[in-house]
PDB file of all heavy atoms in Angstrom:
ATOM      1  N   ASP P  56      -9.011 -27.946 -16.254  1.00  0.00           N
ATOM      2  CA  ASP P  56      -9.733 -28.427 -15.075  1.00  0.00           C
ATOM      3  C   ASP P  56     -10.280 -27.301 -14.196  1.00  0.00           C
ATOM      4  O   ASP P  56     -10.709 -27.555 -13.068  1.00  0.00           O
ATOM      5  CB  ASP P  56      -8.817 -29.324 -14.234  1.00  0.00           C
ATOM      6  CG  ASP P  56      -8.389 -30.578 -14.987  1.00  0.00           C
ATOM      7  OD1 ASP P  56      -9.234 -31.131 -15.709  1.00  0.00           O
ATOM      8  OD2 ASP P  56      -7.219 -30.979 -14.860  1.00  0.00           O
ATOM      9  N   ALA P  57     -10.259 -26.086 -14.700  1.00  0.00           N
ATOM     10  CA  ALA P  57     -10.792 -24.956 -13.919  1.00  0.00           C
ATOM     11  C   ALA P  57     -12.285 -25.173 -13.664  1.00  0.00           C
ATOM     12  O   ALA P  57     -13.051 -25.454 -14.582  1.00  0.00           O
ATOM     13  CB  ALA P  57     -10.577 -23.648 -14.674  1.00  0.00           C
ATOM     14  N   ASP P  58     -12.682 -25.058 -12.403  1.00  0.00           N
ATOM     15  CA  ASP P  58     -14.085 -25.309 -12.060  1.00  0.00           C
ATOM     16  C   ASP P  58     -14.916 -24.030 -12.189  1.00  0.00           C
ATOM     17  O   ASP P  58     -14.382 -22.936 -12.357  1.00  0.00           O
ATOM     18  CB  ASP P  58     -14.202 -25.901 -10.652  1.00  0.00           C
ATOM     19  CG  ASP P  58     -13.603 -24.998  -9.571  1.00  0.00           C
ATOM     20  OD1 ASP P  58     -13.611 -23.769  -9.753  1.00  0.00           O
ATOM     21  OD2 ASP P  58     -13.123 -25.524  -8.560  1.00  0.00           O
ATOM     22  N   PRO P  59     -16.249 -24.150 -12.133  1.00  0.00           N
ATOM     23  CA  PRO P  59     -17.129 -22.982 -12.282  1.00  0.00           C
ATOM     24  C   PRO P  59     -16.831 -21.866 -11.283  1.00  0.00           C
ATOM     25  O   PRO P  59     -16.921 -20.682 -11.626  1.00  0.00           O
ATOM     26  CB  PRO P  59     -18.523 -23.567 -12.057  1.00  0.00           C
ATOM     27  CG  PRO P  59     -18.400 -24.987 -12.509  1.00  0.00           C
ATOM     28  CD  PRO P  59     -17.037 -25.402 -12.075  1.00  0.00           C
ATOM     29  N   PHE P  60     -16.468 -22.230 -10.054  1.00  0.00           N
ATOM     30  CA  PHE P  60     -16.162 -21.202  -9.058  1.00  0.00           C
ATOM     31  C   PHE P  60     -14.967 -20.363  -9.501  1.00  0.00           C
ATOM     32  O   PHE P  60     -14.983 -19.126  -9.408  1.00  0.00           O
ATOM     33  CB  PHE P  60     -15.859 -21.848  -7.704  1.00  0.00           C
ATOM     34  CG  PHE P  60     -15.380 -20.858  -6.662  1.00  0.00           C
ATOM     35  CD1 PHE P  60     -16.274 -20.019  -6.022  1.00  0.00           C
ATOM     36  CD2 PHE P  60     -14.028 -20.757  -6.344  1.00  0.00           C
ATOM     37  CE1 PHE P  60     -15.839 -19.091  -5.085  1.00  0.00           C
ATOM     38  CE2 PHE P  60     -13.586 -19.841  -5.409  1.00  0.00           C
ATOM     39  CZ  PHE P  60     -14.487 -19.005  -4.776  1.00  0.00           C
ATOM     40  N   MET P  61     -13.923 -21.038 -10.003  1.00  0.00           N
ATOM     41  CA  MET P  61     -12.736 -20.309 -10.461  1.00  0.00           C
ATOM     42  C   MET P  61     -13.072 -19.415 -11.645  1.00  0.00           C
ATOM     43  O   MET P  61     -12.621 -18.265 -11.723  1.00  0.00           O
ATOM     44  CB  MET P  61     -11.632 -21.291 -10.858  1.00  0.00           C
ATOM     45  CG  MET P  61     -10.339 -20.600 -11.321  1.00  0.00           C
ATOM     46  SD  MET P  61      -9.042 -21.760 -11.817  1.00  0.00           S
ATOM     47  CE  MET P  61      -8.648 -22.485 -10.214  1.00  0.00           C
ATOM     48  N   LEU P  62     -13.898 -19.918 -12.566  1.00  0.00           N
ATOM     49  CA  LEU P  62     -14.273 -19.126 -13.733  1.00  0.00           C
ATOM     50  C   LEU P  62     -15.072 -17.890 -13.319  1.00  0.00           C
ATOM     51  O   LEU P  62     -14.868 -16.798 -13.857  1.00  0.00           O
ATOM     52  CB  LEU P  62     -15.083 -19.979 -14.709  1.00  0.00           C
ATOM     53  CG  LEU P  62     -14.303 -21.105 -15.402  1.00  0.00           C
ATOM     54  CD1 LEU P  62     -15.252 -21.992 -16.206  1.00  0.00           C
ATOM     55  CD2 LEU P  62     -13.222 -20.531 -16.321  1.00  0.00           C
ATOM     56  N   HIS P  63     -15.984 -18.055 -12.356  1.00  0.00           N
ATOM     57  CA  HIS P  63     -16.751 -16.907 -11.859  1.00  0.00           C
ATOM     58  C   HIS P  63     -15.820 -15.894 -11.193  1.00  0.00           C
ATOM     59  O   HIS P  63     -15.982 -14.676 -11.358  1.00  0.00           O
ATOM     60  CB  HIS P  63     -17.818 -17.370 -10.858  1.00  0.00           C
ATOM     61  CG  HIS P  63     -19.102 -17.795 -11.499  1.00  0.00           C
ATOM     62  ND1 HIS P  63     -19.483 -19.105 -11.609  1.00  0.00           N
ATOM     63  CD2 HIS P  63     -20.094 -17.072 -12.083  1.00  0.00           C
ATOM     64  CE1 HIS P  63     -20.645 -19.190 -12.214  1.00  0.00           C
ATOM     65  NE2 HIS P  63     -21.040 -17.971 -12.516  1.00  0.00           N
ATOM     66  N   LEU P  64     -14.852 -16.406 -10.450  1.00  0.00           N
ATOM     67  CA  LEU P  64     -13.910 -15.527  -9.759  1.00  0.00           C
ATOM     68  C   LEU P  64     -13.102 -14.715 -10.755  1.00  0.00           C
ATOM     69  O   LEU P  64     -12.971 -13.485 -10.619  1.00  0.00           O
ATOM     70  CB  LEU P  64     -12.978 -16.360  -8.867  1.00  0.00           C
ATOM     71  CG  LEU P  64     -11.877 -15.594  -8.124  1.00  0.00           C
ATOM     72  CD1 LEU P  64     -12.491 -14.572  -7.180  1.00  0.00           C
ATOM     73  CD2 LEU P  64     -10.993 -16.558  -7.346  1.00  0.00           C
ATOM     74  N   TYR P  65     -12.592 -15.369 -11.777  1.00  0.00           N
ATOM     75  CA  TYR P  65     -11.794 -14.659 -12.773  1.00  0.00           C
ATOM     76  C   TYR P  65     -12.649 -13.728 -13.624  1.00  0.00           C
ATOM     77  O   TYR P  65     -12.166 -12.696 -14.101  1.00  0.00           O
ATOM     78  CB  TYR P  65     -11.026 -15.649 -13.650  1.00  0.00           C
ATOM     79  CG  TYR P  65      -9.699 -16.034 -13.058  1.00  0.00           C
ATOM     80  CD1 TYR P  65      -9.605 -17.037 -12.103  1.00  0.00           C
ATOM     81  CD2 TYR P  65      -8.528 -15.378 -13.428  1.00  0.00           C
ATOM     82  CE1 TYR P  65      -8.388 -17.387 -11.534  1.00  0.00           C
ATOM     83  CE2 TYR P  65      -7.305 -15.712 -12.867  1.00  0.00           C
ATOM     84  CZ  TYR P  65      -7.242 -16.719 -11.928  1.00  0.00           C
ATOM     85  OH  TYR P  65      -6.035 -17.050 -11.365  1.00  0.00           O
ATOM     86  N   ALA P  66     -13.910 -14.093 -13.817  1.00  0.00           N
ATOM     87  CA  ALA P  66     -14.814 -13.194 -14.536  1.00  0.00           C
ATOM     88  C   ALA P  66     -14.993 -11.899 -13.754  1.00  0.00           C
ATOM     89  O   ALA P  66     -15.000 -10.795 -14.324  1.00  0.00           O
ATOM     90  CB  ALA P  66     -16.168 -13.869 -14.762  1.00  0.00           C
ATOM     91  N   ALA P  67     -15.133 -12.029 -12.426  1.00  0.00           N
ATOM     92  CA  ALA P  67     -15.271 -10.851 -11.568  1.00  0.00           C
ATOM     93  C   ALA P  67     -14.003 -10.002 -11.619  1.00  0.00           C
ATOM     94  O   ALA P  67     -14.067  -8.764 -11.684  1.00  0.00           O
ATOM     95  CB  ALA P  67     -15.572 -11.269 -10.135  1.00  0.00           C
ATOM     96  N   LEU P  68     -12.841 -10.665 -11.597  1.00  0.00           N
ATOM     97  CA  LEU P  68     -11.566  -9.941 -11.681  1.00  0.00           C
ATOM     98  C   LEU P  68     -11.428  -9.241 -13.024  1.00  0.00           C
ATOM     99  O   LEU P  68     -10.929  -8.114 -13.109  1.00  0.00           O
ATOM    100  CB  LEU P  68     -10.399 -10.913 -11.466  1.00  0.00           C
ATOM    101  CG  LEU P  68     -10.259 -11.494 -10.050  1.00  0.00           C
ATOM    102  CD1 LEU P  68      -9.172 -12.563 -10.031  1.00  0.00           C
ATOM    103  CD2 LEU P  68      -9.926 -10.393  -9.056  1.00  0.00           C
ATOM    104  N   SER P  69     -11.868  -9.909 -14.087  1.00  0.00           N
ATOM    105  CA  SER P  69     -11.794  -9.327 -15.420  1.00  0.00           C
ATOM    106  C   SER P  69     -12.686  -8.102 -15.537  1.00  0.00           C
ATOM    107  O   SER P  69     -12.326  -7.092 -16.149  1.00  0.00           O
ATOM    108  CB  SER P  69     -12.187 -10.376 -16.466  1.00  0.00           C
ATOM    109  OG  SER P  69     -12.018  -9.877 -17.774  1.00  0.00           O
ATOM    110  N   GLU P  70     -13.884  -8.189 -14.933  1.00  0.00           N
ATOM    111  CA  GLU P  70     -14.798  -7.054 -14.953  1.00  0.00           C
ATOM    112  C   GLU P  70     -14.189  -5.872 -14.194  1.00  0.00           C
ATOM    113  O   GLU P  70     -14.288  -4.717 -14.620  1.00  0.00           O
ATOM    114  CB  GLU P  70     -16.132  -7.452 -14.330  1.00  0.00           C
ATOM    115  CG  GLU P  70     -17.200  -6.370 -14.419  1.00  0.00           C
ATOM    116  CD  GLU P  70     -18.559  -6.866 -13.960  1.00  0.00           C
ATOM    117  OE1 GLU P  70     -19.216  -7.589 -14.723  1.00  0.00           O
ATOM    118  OE2 GLU P  70     -18.958  -6.543 -12.822  1.00  0.00           O
ATOM    119  N   LYS P  71     -13.545  -6.182 -13.078  1.00  0.00           N
ATOM    120  CA  LYS P  71     -12.886  -5.135 -12.303  1.00  0.00           C
ATOM    121  C   LYS P  71     -11.743  -4.521 -13.092  1.00  0.00           C
ATOM    122  O   LYS P  71     -11.541  -3.299 -13.068  1.00  0.00           O
ATOM    123  CB  LYS P  71     -12.355  -5.723 -10.984  1.00  0.00           C
ATOM    124  CG  LYS P  71     -11.692  -4.693 -10.078  1.00  0.00           C
ATOM    125  CD  LYS P  71     -12.662  -3.603  -9.632  1.00  0.00           C
ATOM    126  CE  LYS P  71     -12.016  -2.624  -8.686  1.00  0.00           C
ATOM    127  NZ  LYS P  71     -12.927  -1.543  -8.276  1.00  0.00           N
ATOM    128  N   GLU P  72     -11.012  -5.358 -13.828  1.00  0.00           N
ATOM    129  CA  GLU P  72      -9.904  -4.844 -14.627  1.00  0.00           C
ATOM    130  C   GLU P  72     -10.411  -3.887 -15.700  1.00  0.00           C
ATOM    131  O   GLU P  72      -9.788  -2.872 -15.981  1.00  0.00           O
ATOM    132  CB  GLU P  72      -9.149  -6.002 -15.286  1.00  0.00           C
ATOM    133  CG  GLU P  72      -7.939  -5.537 -16.099  1.00  0.00           C
ATOM    134  CD  GLU P  72      -7.195  -6.690 -16.731  1.00  0.00           C
ATOM    135  OE1 GLU P  72      -7.847  -7.682 -17.102  1.00  0.00           O
ATOM    136  OE2 GLU P  72      -5.971  -6.608 -16.863  1.00  0.00           O
ATOM    137  N   ARG P  73     -11.573  -4.204 -16.284  1.00  0.00           N
ATOM    138  CA  ARG P  73     -12.149  -3.315 -17.281  1.00  0.00           C
ATOM    139  C   ARG P  73     -12.447  -1.950 -16.672  1.00  0.00           C
ATOM    140  O   ARG P  73     -12.216  -0.906 -17.284  1.00  0.00           O
ATOM    141  CB  ARG P  73     -13.440  -3.920 -17.850  1.00  0.00           C
ATOM    142  CG  ARG P  73     -14.033  -3.115 -19.014  1.00  0.00           C
ATOM    143  CD  ARG P  73     -15.418  -3.599 -19.362  1.00  0.00           C
ATOM    144  NE  ARG P  73     -16.362  -3.278 -18.300  1.00  0.00           N
ATOM    145  CZ  ARG P  73     -17.520  -3.899 -18.123  1.00  0.00           C
ATOM    146  NH1 ARG P  73     -17.861  -4.911 -18.886  1.00  0.00           N
ATOM    147  NH2 ARG P  73     -18.338  -3.523 -17.151  1.00  0.00           N
ATOM    148  N   GLU P  74     -12.958  -1.968 -15.442  1.00  0.00           N
ATOM    149  CA  GLU P  74     -13.240  -0.708 -14.748  1.00  0.00           C
ATOM    150  C   GLU P  74     -11.945   0.068 -14.494  1.00  0.00           C
ATOM    151  O   GLU P  74     -11.917   1.301 -14.620  1.00  0.00           O
ATOM    152  CB  GLU P  74     -13.948  -0.990 -13.429  1.00  0.00           C
ATOM    153  CG  GLU P  74     -15.337  -1.606 -13.595  1.00  0.00           C
ATOM    154  CD  GLU P  74     -15.941  -2.027 -12.262  1.00  0.00           C
ATOM    155  OE1 GLU P  74     -15.263  -1.823 -11.221  1.00  0.00           O
ATOM    156  OE2 GLU P  74     -17.064  -2.546 -12.252  1.00  0.00           O
ATOM    157  N   LEU P  75     -10.875  -0.658 -14.151  1.00  0.00           N
ATOM    158  CA  LEU P  75      -9.596   0.002 -13.903  1.00  0.00           C
ATOM    159  C   LEU P  75      -9.024   0.592 -15.185  1.00  0.00           C
ATOM    160  O   LEU P  75      -8.422   1.670 -15.165  1.00  0.00           O
ATOM    161  CB  LEU P  75      -8.602  -1.001 -13.296  1.00  0.00           C
ATOM    162  CG  LEU P  75      -8.926  -1.487 -11.880  1.00  0.00           C
ATOM    163  CD1 LEU P  75      -7.948  -2.574 -11.460  1.00  0.00           C
ATOM    164  CD2 LEU P  75      -8.884  -0.322 -10.894  1.00  0.00           C
ATOM    165  N   ILE P  76      -9.194  -0.127 -16.298  1.00  0.00           N
ATOM    166  CA  ILE P  76      -8.731   0.397 -17.589  1.00  0.00           C
ATOM    167  C   ILE P  76      -9.454   1.697 -17.907  1.00  0.00           C
ATOM    168  O   ILE P  76      -8.848   2.674 -18.362  1.00  0.00           O
ATOM    169  CB  ILE P  76      -8.969  -0.637 -18.707  1.00  0.00           C
ATOM    170  CG1 ILE P  76      -8.019  -1.823 -18.538  1.00  0.00           C
ATOM    171  CG2 ILE P  76      -8.765  -0.004 -20.084  1.00  0.00           C
ATOM    172  CD1 ILE P  76      -8.294  -2.971 -19.492  1.00  0.00           C
ATOM    173  N   SER P  77     -10.765   1.707 -17.652  1.00  0.00           N
ATOM    174  CA  SER P  77     -11.545   2.922 -17.884  1.00  0.00           C
ATOM    175  C   SER P  77     -11.049   4.057 -17.004  1.00  0.00           C
ATOM    176  O   SER P  77     -10.916   5.209 -17.452  1.00  0.00           O
ATOM    177  CB  SER P  77     -13.024   2.648 -17.597  1.00  0.00           C
ATOM    178  OG  SER P  77     -13.792   3.830 -17.717  1.00  0.00           O
ATOM    179  N   THR P  78     -10.737   3.732 -15.746  1.00  0.00           N
ATOM    180  CA  THR P  78     -10.233   4.748 -14.812  1.00  0.00           C
ATOM    181  C   THR P  78      -8.894   5.306 -15.280  1.00  0.00           C
ATOM    182  O   THR P  78      -8.666   6.515 -15.234  1.00  0.00           O
ATOM    183  CB  THR P  78     -10.070   4.145 -13.405  1.00  0.00           C
ATOM    184  OG1 THR P  78     -11.359   3.694 -12.939  1.00  0.00           O
ATOM    185  CG2 THR P  78      -9.525   5.182 -12.422  1.00  0.00           C
ATOM    186  N   ARG P  79      -8.005   4.398 -15.725  1.00  0.00           N
ATOM    187  CA  ARG P  79      -6.689   4.845 -16.204  1.00  0.00           C
ATOM    188  C   ARG P  79      -6.822   5.705 -17.453  1.00  0.00           C
ATOM    189  O   ARG P  79      -6.078   6.676 -17.640  1.00  0.00           O
ATOM    190  CB  ARG P  79      -5.792   3.629 -16.480  1.00  0.00           C
ATOM    191  CG  ARG P  79      -5.307   2.915 -15.225  1.00  0.00           C
ATOM    192  CD  ARG P  79      -4.133   2.006 -15.534  1.00  0.00           C
ATOM    193  NE  ARG P  79      -4.479   0.947 -16.459  1.00  0.00           N
ATOM    194  CZ  ARG P  79      -4.861  -0.273 -16.090  1.00  0.00           C
ATOM    195  NH1 ARG P  79      -4.970  -0.561 -14.799  1.00  0.00           N
ATOM    196  NH2 ARG P  79      -5.142  -1.192 -16.984  1.00  0.00           N
ATOM    197  N   THR P  80      -7.778   5.336 -18.330  1.00  0.00           N
ATOM    198  CA  THR P  80      -7.988   6.124 -19.546  1.00  0.00           C
ATOM    199  C   THR P  80      -8.453   7.533 -19.198  1.00  0.00           C
ATOM    200  O   THR P  80      -7.977   8.529 -19.762  1.00  0.00           O
ATOM    201  CB  THR P  80      -9.024   5.444 -20.460  1.00  0.00           C
ATOM    202  OG1 THR P  80      -8.541   4.149 -20.845  1.00  0.00           O
ATOM    203  CG2 THR P  80      -9.275   6.273 -21.716  1.00  0.00           C
ATOM    204  N   LYS P  81      -9.383   7.627 -18.237  1.00  0.00           N
ATOM    205  CA  LYS P  81      -9.872   8.939 -17.808  1.00  0.00           C
ATOM    206  C   LYS P  81      -8.748   9.752 -17.175  1.00  0.00           C
ATOM    207  O   LYS P  81      -8.642  10.963 -17.391  1.00  0.00           O
ATOM    208  CB  LYS P  81     -11.024   8.767 -16.811  1.00  0.00           C
ATOM    209  CG  LYS P  81     -12.298   8.224 -17.441  1.00  0.00           C
ATOM    210  CD  LYS P  81     -13.380   7.998 -16.396  1.00  0.00           C
ATOM    211  CE  LYS P  81     -14.650   7.439 -17.030  1.00  0.00           C
ATOM    212  NZ  LYS P  81     -15.708   7.156 -16.026  1.00  0.00           N
ATOM    213  N   ALA P  82      -7.891   9.079 -16.401  1.00  0.00           N
ATOM    214  CA  ALA P  82      -6.765   9.775 -15.776  1.00  0.00           C
ATOM    215  C   ALA P  82      -5.802  10.280 -16.832  1.00  0.00           C
ATOM    216  O   ALA P  82      -5.272  11.401 -16.735  1.00  0.00           O
ATOM    217  CB  ALA P  82      -6.044   8.828 -14.816  1.00  0.00           C
ATOM    218  N   ALA P  83      -5.584   9.455 -17.872  1.00  0.00           N
ATOM    219  CA  ALA P  83      -4.688   9.866 -18.957  1.00  0.00           C
ATOM    220  C   ALA P  83      -5.263  11.060 -19.715  1.00  0.00           C
ATOM    221  O   ALA P  83      -4.526  11.967 -20.133  1.00  0.00           O
ATOM    222  CB  ALA P  83      -4.470   8.688 -19.910  1.00  0.00           C
ATOM    223  N   LEU P  84      -6.600  11.084 -19.881  1.00  0.00           N
ATOM    224  CA  LEU P  84      -7.244  12.231 -20.526  1.00  0.00           C
ATOM    225  C   LEU P  84      -7.038  13.505 -19.711  1.00  0.00           C
ATOM    226  O   LEU P  84      -6.837  14.594 -20.270  1.00  0.00           O
ATOM    227  CB  LEU P  84      -8.738  11.952 -20.713  1.00  0.00           C
ATOM    228  CG  LEU P  84      -9.123  11.027 -21.869  1.00  0.00           C
ATOM    229  CD1 LEU P  84     -10.598  10.658 -21.787  1.00  0.00           C
ATOM    230  CD2 LEU P  84      -8.813  11.678 -23.211  1.00  0.00           C
ATOM    231  N   GLN P  85      -7.092  13.369 -18.397  1.00  0.00           N
ATOM    232  CA  GLN P  85      -6.863  14.526 -17.531  1.00  0.00           C
ATOM    233  C   GLN P  85      -5.431  15.033 -17.659  1.00  0.00           C
ATOM    234  O   GLN P  85      -5.174  16.239 -17.608  1.00  0.00           O
ATOM    235  CB  GLN P  85      -7.164  14.152 -16.075  1.00  0.00           C
ATOM    236  CG  GLN P  85      -8.643  13.929 -15.788  1.00  0.00           C
ATOM    237  CD  GLN P  85      -9.481  15.151 -16.120  1.00  0.00           C
ATOM    238  OE1 GLN P  85      -9.147  16.277 -15.757  1.00  0.00           O
ATOM    239  NE2 GLN P  85     -10.589  14.926 -16.832  1.00  0.00           N
ATOM    240  N   VAL P  86      -4.483  14.099 -17.842  1.00  0.00           N
ATOM    241  CA  VAL P  86      -3.082  14.498 -18.056  1.00  0.00           C
ATOM    242  C   VAL P  86      -2.965  15.290 -19.340  1.00  0.00           C
ATOM    243  O   VAL P  86      -2.302  16.333 -19.392  1.00  0.00           O
ATOM    244  CB  VAL P  86      -2.173  13.243 -18.108  1.00  0.00           C
ATOM    245  CG1 VAL P  86      -0.761  13.638 -18.561  1.00  0.00           C
ATOM    246  CG2 VAL P  86      -2.109  12.577 -16.746  1.00  0.00           C
ATOM    247  N   LEU P  87      -3.626  14.795 -20.398  1.00  0.00           N
ATOM    248  CA  LEU P  87      -3.583  15.503 -21.678  1.00  0.00           C
ATOM    249  C   LEU P  87      -4.243  16.881 -21.557  1.00  0.00           C
ATOM    250  O   LEU P  87      -3.757  17.873 -22.114  1.00  0.00           O
ATOM    251  CB  LEU P  87      -4.300  14.683 -22.762  1.00  0.00           C
ATOM    252  CG  LEU P  87      -3.631  13.364 -23.168  1.00  0.00           C
ATOM    253  CD1 LEU P  87      -4.520  12.613 -24.154  1.00  0.00           C
ATOM    254  CD2 LEU P  87      -2.267  13.627 -23.797  1.00  0.00           C
ATOM    255  N   LYS P  88      -5.354  16.938 -20.817  1.00  0.00           N
ATOM    256  CA  LYS P  88      -6.056  18.210 -20.632  1.00  0.00           C
ATOM    257  C   LYS P  88      -5.178  19.203 -19.897  1.00  0.00           C
ATOM    258  O   LYS P  88      -5.142  20.402 -20.239  1.00  0.00           O
ATOM    259  CB  LYS P  88      -7.353  17.965 -19.854  1.00  0.00           C
ATOM    260  CG  LYS P  88      -8.208  19.211 -19.671  1.00  0.00           C
ATOM    261  CD  LYS P  88      -9.514  18.872 -18.950  1.00  0.00           C
ATOM    262  CE  LYS P  88     -10.376  20.120 -18.779  1.00  0.00           C
ATOM    263  NZ  LYS P  88     -11.653  19.794 -18.074  1.00  0.00           N
ATOM    264  N   ALA P  89      -4.453  18.713 -18.877  1.00  0.00           N
ATOM    265  CA  ALA P  89      -3.561  19.587 -18.108  1.00  0.00           C
ATOM    266  C   ALA P  89      -2.434  20.134 -18.978  1.00  0.00           C
ATOM    267  O   ALA P  89      -1.890  21.209 -18.707  1.00  0.00           O
ATOM    268  CB  ALA P  89      -2.979  18.815 -16.920  1.00  0.00           C
ATOM    269  N   LYS P  90      -2.094  19.395 -20.047  1.00  0.00           N
ATOM    270  CA  LYS P  90      -1.035  19.837 -20.958  1.00  0.00           C
ATOM    271  C   LYS P  90      -1.571  20.782 -22.030  1.00  0.00           C
ATOM    272  O   LYS P  90      -0.827  21.215 -22.907  1.00  0.00           O
ATOM    273  CB  LYS P  90      -0.383  18.623 -21.627  1.00  0.00           C
ATOM    274  CG  LYS P  90       0.443  17.761 -20.664  1.00  0.00           C
ATOM    275  CD  LYS P  90       1.086  16.592 -21.410  1.00  0.00           C
ATOM    276  CE  LYS P  90       1.947  15.763 -20.465  1.00  0.00           C
ATOM    277  NZ  LYS P  90       2.581  14.615 -21.171  1.00  0.00           N
ATOM    278  N   GLY P  91      -2.886  21.048 -21.954  1.00  0.00           N
ATOM    279  CA  GLY P  91      -3.467  21.978 -22.906  1.00  0.00           C
ATOM    280  C   GLY P  91      -3.995  21.339 -24.169  1.00  0.00           C
ATOM    281  O   GLY P  91      -4.348  22.035 -25.126  1.00  0.00           O
ATOM    282  N   VAL P  92      -4.049  20.000 -24.200  1.00  0.00           N
ATOM    283  CA  VAL P  92      -4.566  19.307 -25.379  1.00  0.00           C
ATOM    284  C   VAL P  92      -6.081  19.403 -25.396  1.00  0.00           C
ATOM    285  O   VAL P  92      -6.738  19.180 -24.379  1.00  0.00           O
ATOM    286  CB  VAL P  92      -4.137  17.814 -25.372  1.00  0.00           C
ATOM    287  CG1 VAL P  92      -4.758  17.079 -26.555  1.00  0.00           C
ATOM    288  CG2 VAL P  92      -2.623  17.710 -25.399  1.00  0.00           C
ATOM    289  N   LEU P  93      -6.645  19.742 -26.548  1.00  0.00           N
ATOM    290  CA  LEU P  93      -8.083  19.865 -26.682  1.00  0.00           C
ATOM    291  C   LEU P  93      -8.703  18.477 -26.716  1.00  0.00           C
ATOM    292  O   LEU P  93      -8.395  17.669 -27.585  1.00  0.00           O
ATOM    293  CB  LEU P  93      -8.447  20.628 -27.964  1.00  0.00           C
ATOM    294  CG  LEU P  93      -9.938  20.846 -28.218  1.00  0.00           C
ATOM    295  CD1 LEU P  93     -10.535  21.704 -27.112  1.00  0.00           C
ATOM    296  CD2 LEU P  93     -10.153  21.499 -29.584  1.00  0.00           C
TER     297      LEU P  93
END
């Protein structure tokens, strides 16, 4: 019974989560770089 407004809201949250995943991945790469990993 989820209505269109709820679906749009969760779509926006999902898009934001994708951005956060990308941010965390970049942060993890920086950790590896700091450890001397090529």
Side-chain angles (χ1 to χ4, degrees):
D56 297 321
D58 59 30
F60 173 77
M61 181 181 292
L62 292 173
H63 274 106
L64 177 61
Y65 273 83
L68 291 173
S69 185
E70 185 172 283
K71 182 62 177 178
E72 182 179 33
R73 186 191 69 201
E74 295 173 0
L75 292 174
I76 290 173
S77 176
T78 299
R79 288 197 297 266
T80 299
K81 290 177 181 178
L84 283 170
Q85 290 302 313
V86 171
L87 293 175
K88 183 177 181 180
K90 291 181 178 180
V92 176
L93 181 63

